[in-house]
Amino acid sequence: MSEESNIENKSKITEDKPKKTAKKSKKKSKGGFLVSVIWFLGLGSIFGATAFMYAISIGIFGELPDIEALENPQINLATEIISSDQVILGTYYLENRSNVKYDQLSPHLVKALIATEDVRFYEHSGIDFKGLARAIAYGGTNGGASTVTQQLAKNLFHGTSRNLTDRLLQKLKEWIISARLEKYYTKDEIIALYFNKIDFVNNAVGIKSASRVYFNTTPDSLTIEQAATFVGMLKNPSLFNPNRRLERTEKRRNVVLSQMKRYEIITQAEYDSLRVISLELNFKRVDHNEGLAPYFREVLRGEMMKWCKTHQKPNGEYYNLYTDGLRIYTTINAKMQGYAEYAVTEHLGNYLQDAFYVSCSKKANPPFEKRVSKSEVAKIMDQSMRRSERYRLLKKSGMGLDSIKIMFNTPTKMSVFSWKGEIDTVMTPRDSILYYKHFLQTGFMSMDPKTGYIKAWVGGINNKHFKYDHVRQGKRQVGSTFKPFVYSLAIEAGYSPCYEVPNVKVYFEMPDGQAPWSPNNAGHEYGGMMSLKYGLANSMNTITSWVMKQFGPKAVVKRAKDMGITSKLDEVPSICLGTSDVSVFDMVGANCTFANKGVWTQPTFIMRVEDKHGNVIDDLSFKPEKREVMSENAAYIMTSLMKGVVDGVYNEHKGRTLGSAMRLRSKPRESRPYTGFKNPIAAKTGTTQNQSDGWFIGITPDLVSGVWVGAEDRGVHFDRLSLGQGANMALPIWAYYMHKVYADSALQISQGDFESPAEGISTELDCNAYKKVKSGGVHVFDDF
């Protein structure tokens, strides 16, 4: 090749170089722009996301909870009714939730939760980014991304959004709330909050209620399989409801157990044994009609509603009984309450009601006595209809009286009470009213005479079917149980229990136009001399009338009022026989005066009220009122006088010892298994006219208890005194109860005698010795 050619080629090469360099520059320029765009978009996205999250955090897209709301989340808490022996008797609630602390949770529960719901719970700060990445990668099919903290945020501050856009926005809010929750709470506190918030259905809100409802236990005592059941329910409490879908719930429980095995919380061997265990429920339905002391809880509800109207929270709002998580510490002892309810069932359910059915079946117009005319029965039935809940609801709906009466005479499906369990039947509502007239009712109360604390309260036989409380709400004629108030005036005035008076009819002058009034003895037995002790022991109306004539109705009424009787008492001679209507509540409180050395102590059933944090709000309002009614000497002598009711007093004319409650001393037998008491007991029986009411008051140094038994209507009763007297209707309930109480040594109820006054007593209590002192063996009257 020639040199010229070379030069020419070089020239071409030289000319081509700038062209290639320009192309490279263009490529570089395009690449740089792309990178810039990517950086811009990336940084812009990060900035936009940050700005968007910031906008959410400051509430532009909807308000977020502030620090106050985070530190004090608004959770409706049930008010707990707590017995003196720390048993939860029941709750008042909008949501049946009671909080627990972390250390009150079973470790099994916490481990099951972490293994199933959030295995990296202790590693993240509210958001599990690793789990989030996995959820995005697998489209949520390989586990979700919500942490326990996020679930808590959702449960505390959000519902479930149906709209996808709203749900995505809500999810971002939950991230922010979760981060804040992690800032203000420890991990342990978050877990406790989580379990306290969950609704486990069946009125079991929160783990404390759920543990009690499903397994009748506490959160700290849950077994592994029970804990796994609750964690399994978190996915869908209605779907995995062990009370309705046991098999499905067991399968879900086993999924939780599998997770616990996967993360080596339990071994393969433990898993294999646990997965085949059948789930054993001890289901306790939440129902204000069920559980211990339902009548008491309703009375307490009324008292606490009044209390809430006069007591304010720190923020100035009045306390809410159903949402503020109050803790009401009561004087009721759960064990003693159980013994009292057992005693009622044992006597009424297993004996007396059956005897009453037999008695009613012999009547022409059962269950009413023959003195009650058909027109009177119709009137009673009409009044009962108008007092019924069914009538109230029909009336409220706007239905007229004629239509309501048609409804009450139309056969209807219903469940009615029986002592052997509810009976599903078809009857008219009117017939159901008549059916319920056949049942004997009761009121029972037991009280510590020194403190005034009520230990047991049974207001009726079944709170679901019979709402009326027969302890404080109901008032019935008290009969001879009123007589000790009359006798106490004589003892206070210096009469000895051994003082004798003639067993003759006593006449009282009445207002102009009325014949003199004179009560009869039961059996019309008169003649001879009777001691005050014998007169009270055998409810001799003549002896009581004699005492009444010495002091007059006005003094008797004052004495009864001083001893806490709140009922209206007419200042008439017949009051000495217990013609007034008085509650069991008042009668027990009054008789405590004798056991408490002459000091009346107001019956009380609340010790203190605490807020949800355990701070005492009020304990001063419930301090019982006290007042001295009689001297310690007189009170002690009265207990001696009333011992004669149980021990009996010798009757020289009949040649035997008699007392209306002597059966308590007899040897137990098949027909009377409740007898056999050997400890000192002061008591009084009471029976009203036609055996409409049976009463028994039993007094021991540490416990005074009273029982009333009778039908709803006074015209429904036993025809025979042997069946309808207080010793047969009411006394056995007291006896069954006291046998249980004495058998429970943990209660530490004394079986000893009443403490005598330190300075001695003013009179001789041994009537044989008394007679010798007075007259060398000859009967004489004391001179007052």
Side-chain angles (χ1 to χ4, degrees):
M1 185 179 290
S2 66
E3 187 177 341
E4 190 176 326
S5 296
N6 286 336
I7 293 170
E8 189 177 337
N9 288 334
K10 282 180 183 179
S11 173
K12 283 181 180 179
I13 290 169
T14 305
E15 286 176 3
D16 286 341
K17 275 184 181 179
K19 290 179 182 178
K20 287 182 180 181
T21 303
K23 284 181 180 179
K24 281 184 181 180
S25 296
K26 281 183 179 180
K27 282 183 180 180
K28 281 183 182 178
S29 168
K30 281 184 179 180
F33 176 75
L34 220 74
V35 170
S36 297
V37 169
I38 291 171
W39 272 100
F40 177 79
L41 290 174
L43 291 172
S45 297
I46 293 171
F47 177 79
T50 304
F52 185 59
M53 291 297 287
Y54 177 74
I56 293 173
S57 71
I58 62 175
I60 290 176
F61 293 96
E63 194 173 333
L64 288 179
D66 57 17
I67 294 174
E68 174 65 24
L70 289 171
E71 292 183 340
N72 298 284
Q74 292 301 307
I75 299 177
N76 292 327
L77 296 178
T79 289
E80 294 182 335
I81 308 158
I82 304 169
S83 70
S84 62
D85 49 343
Q86 304 306 303
V87 173
I88 296 176
L89 299 174
T91 52
Y92 305 125
Y93 60 87
L94 188 62
E95 294 179 314
N96 187 31
R97 176 191 290 108
S98 299
N99 280 350
V100 293
K101 296 179 180 178
Y102 180 83
D103 58 10
Q104 295 173 298
L105 297 173
S106 165
H108 303 312
L109 196 63
V110 177
K111 291 174 182 177
L113 175 69
I114 301 305
T116 308
E117 296 293 325
D118 191 355
V119 72
R120 283 178 290 277
F121 175 72
Y122 290 106
E123 299 169 17
H124 62 66
S125 296
I127 303 169
D128 181 7
F129 290 104
K130 192 180 289 186
L132 180 62
R134 183 195 65 233
I136 293 171
Y138 291 93
T141 59
N142 192 26
S146 286
T147 64
V148 165
T149 316
Q150 285 175 257
Q151 293 177 43
L152 175 61
K154 177 183 175 182
N155 291 334
L156 283 176
F157 303 107
H158 296 294
T160 300
S161 298
R162 298 183 183 276
N163 182 287
L164 179 60
T165 304
D166 288 345
R167 179 64 191 125
L168 289 172
L169 184 61
Q170 181 179 300
K171 197 73 176 175
L172 296 175
K173 289 181 179 181
E174 286 169 13
W175 286 4
I176 295 169
I177 296 171
S178 297
R180 291 177 179 178
L181 286 171
E182 293 271 354
K183 179 180 178 181
Y184 291 114
Y185 292 99
T186 66
K187 290 288 188 179
D188 291 352
E189 288 171 337
I190 288 171
I191 287 177
L193 267 172
Y194 181 87
F195 277 117
N196 285 330
K197 181 61 181 173
I198 298 297
D199 187 345
F200 291 94
V201 301
N202 290 309
N203 275 330
V205 186
I207 193 63
K208 186 175 182 180
S209 294
S211 299
R212 188 166 63 246
V213 169
Y214 290 105
F215 300 111
N216 194 26
T217 188
T218 54
D220 60 349
S221 301
L222 292 170
T223 62
I224 294 179
E225 61 271 24
Q226 290 170 345
T229 299
F230 282 134
V231 171
M233 290 177 71
L234 298 175
K235 187 172 184 179
N236 188 329
S238 296
L239 183 64
F240 301 107
N241 176 355
N243 195 46
R244 296 185 61 187
R245 300 180 177 90
L246 186 60
E247 186 177 346
R248 179 177 287 178
T249 304
E250 286 180 343
K251 289 180 180 178
R252 177 61 188 164
R253 175 203 65 182
N254 291 344
V255 170
V256 176
L257 292 173
S258 176
Q259 286 294 101
M260 295 177 76
K261 173 179 71 73
R262 176 183 177 185
Y263 292 107
E264 299 181 350
I265 295 169
I266 58 176
T267 64
Q268 180 69 48
E270 287 174 319
Y271 170 73
D272 291 338
S273 62
L274 289 168
R275 65 187 294 273
V276 296
I277 294 176
S278 296
L279 188 59
E280 292 185 11
L281 297 181
N282 187 355
F283 188 75
K284 302 290 183 183
R285 186 175 300 281
V286 179
D287 186 337
H288 66 275
N289 293 311
E290 303 294 333
L292 285 174
Y295 289 93
F296 167 76
R297 287 186 270 122
E298 285 307 301
V299 172
L300 179 65
R301 185 199 301 269
E303 291 296 313
M304 287 305 301
M305 288 295 286
K306 289 187 285 187
W307 181 92
C308 286
K309 290 178 181 178
T310 59
H311 290 77
Q312 295 175 319
K313 294 182 281 188
N315 64 5
E317 296 177 359
Y318 287 104
Y319 281 101
N320 188 310
L321 185 64
Y322 301 102
T323 61
D324 282 335
L326 299 174
R327 299 171 190 170
I328 309 168
Y329 288 85
T330 71
T331 63
I332 297 293
N333 181 285
K335 293 170 76 175
M336 296 171 76
Q337 179 67 31
Y339 298 152
E341 293 179 9
Y342 153 82
V344 167
T345 301
E346 189 66 24
H347 181 53
L348 290 185
N350 296 334
Y351 164 68
L352 196 66
Q353 186 61 53
D354 289 339
F356 194 60
Y357 284 146
V358 173
S359 176
C360 290
S361 68
K362 298 175 182 178
K363 297 177 180 179
N365 193 13
F368 299 95
E369 66 166 333
K370 59 184 178 182
R371 294 185 185 88
V372 182
S373 67
K374 288 186 177 180
S375 62
E376 287 174 320
V377 170
K379 185 178 180 180
I380 290 170
M381 293 294 292
D382 186 68
Q383 289 173 340
S384 297
M385 178 191 74
R386 292 170 187 269
R387 289 198 301 263
S388 70
E389 181 68 7
R390 185 187 297 269
Y391 179 88
R392 187 187 70 81
L393 293 174
L394 291 174
K395 191 75 174 174
K396 187 178 180 181
S397 70
M399 189 176 289
L401 181 59
D402 290 340
S403 298
I404 291 176
K405 286 184 176 180
I406 292 172
M407 292 288 290
F408 267 81
N409 285 283
T410 302
T412 305
K413 286 183 179 181
M414 62 179 70
S415 294
V416 295
F417 169 78
S418 85
W419 277 107
K420 293 179 174 61
E422 286 191 345
I423 300 172
D424 292 328
T425 186
V426 175
M427 65 171 69
T428 69
R430 186 185 184 281
D431 286 341
S432 72
I433 292 174
L434 188 62
Y435 168 76
Y436 282 139
K437 296 289 185 185
H438 288 73
F439 282 93
L440 290 171
Q441 299 294 331
T442 190
F444 174 92
M445 190 177 105
S446 187
M447 173 177 159
D448 182 333
K450 301 179 185 69
T451 62
Y453 288 174
I454 296 170
K455 296 297 183 180
W457 180 310
V458 183
I461 59 175
N462 183 278
N463 191 58
K464 179 179 179 180
H465 295 278
F466 305 97
K467 298 294 186 186
Y468 195 73
D469 171 59
H470 291 285
V471 170
R472 194 165 78 165
Q473 187 179 4
K475 295 180 181 181
R476 294 289 286 255
Q477 280 190 346
V478 292
S480 294
T481 52
F482 192 87
K483 290 176 179 177
F485 309 150
V486 181
Y487 278 75
S488 69
L489 291 172
I491 298 302
E492 185 81 37
Y495 284 88
S496 166
C498 304
Y499 183 77
E500 294 184 333
V501 301
N503 178 26
V504 296
K505 294 187 73 171
V506 177
Y507 290 85
F508 293 86
E509 294 299 322
M510 302 300 289
D512 292 342
Q514 297 183 39
W517 177 75
S518 178
N520 297 313
N521 281 334
H524 299 278
E525 293 185 4
Y526 305 100
M529 303 295 293
M530 302 293 177
S531 68
L532 298 183
K533 191 168 187 176
Y534 182 87
L536 185 65
N538 292 279
S539 289
M540 304 288 288
N541 290 341
T542 51
I543 311 303
T544 307
S545 299
W546 184 90
V547 178
M548 165 62 90
K549 196 149 191 177
Q550 312 311 304
F551 298 95
K554 188 172 184 178
V556 170
V557 169
K558 184 180 185 307
R559 172 51 55 92
K561 291 291 186 181
D562 287 344
M563 293 177 72
I565 302 299
T566 59
S567 298
K568 182 179 182 297
L569 302 176
D570 295 323
E571 293 180 1
V572 294
S574 61
I575 196 175
C576 70
L577 304 185
T579 54
S580 296
D581 292 344
V582 183
S583 67
V584 172
F585 185 89
D586 280 2
M587 287 299 292
V588 174
N591 279 276
C592 282
T593 307
F594 301 130
N596 195 32
K597 302 180 179 181
V599 177
W600 173 76
T601 302
Q602 180 185 19
T604 186
F605 45 80
I606 304 175
M607 289 193 286
R608 68 182 185 278
V609 177
E610 293 180 356
D611 66 14
K612 62 184 178 182
H613 301 297
N615 302 310
V616 176
I617 306 170
D618 188 9
D619 59 354
L620 298 177
S621 299
F622 314 114
K623 298 293 182 185
E625 179 188 343
K626 295 186 178 186
R627 59 173 169 263
E628 185 175 342
V629 177
M630 64 188 76
S631 67
E632 181 181 352
N633 175 75
Y636 180 77
I637 295 174
M638 278 302 301
T639 61
S640 175
L641 188 70
M642 296 174 74
K643 283 180 187 178
V645 176
V646 177
D647 299 335
V649 181
Y650 185 72
N651 184 312
E652 291 182 352
H653 303 287
K654 295 186 177 182
R656 57 196 175 110
T657 300
L658 298 170
S660 62
M662 280 185 64
R663 65 176 66 188
L664 288 174
R665 297 293 187 213
S666 64
K667 187 176 180 180
R669 57 180 189 267
E670 187 176 352
S671 61
R672 292 181 184 174
Y674 53 81
T675 59
F677 288 89
K678 296 180 180 179
N679 58 294
I681 301 169
K684 190 68 195 81
T685 57
T687 309
T688 61
Q689 191 171 13
N690 299 321
Q691 301 84 239
S692 293
D693 308 275
W695 287 80
F696 184 77
I697 304 291
I699 305 173
T700 63
D702 288 348
L703 216 51
V704 176
S705 308
V707 191
W708 166 84
V709 174
E712 180 181 307
D713 298 279
R714 297 177 197 264
V716 179
H717 53 70
F718 279 108
D719 288 334
R720 290 161 46 198
L721 180 62
S722 60
L723 290 173
Q725 63 180 312
N728 187 65
M729 288 217 293
L731 176 149
I733 293 176
W734 180 91
Y736 279 121
Y737 169 72
M738 290 304 294
H739 274 307
K740 284 285 190 181
V741 167
Y742 284 143
D744 191 339
S745 58
L747 294 174
Q748 298 183 328
I749 301 298
S750 169
Q751 296 188 55
D753 206 347
F754 298 92
E755 184 182 353
S756 60
E759 66 276 11
I761 53 178
S762 61
T763 188
E764 178 60 62
L765 300 181
D766 183 324
C767 289
N768 289 325
Y770 171 82
K771 292 175 185 177
K772 291 177 182 178
V773 169
K774 295 301 291 182
S775 61
V778 180
H779 290 274
V780 297
F781 289 102
D782 287 358
D783 185 15
F784 287 94

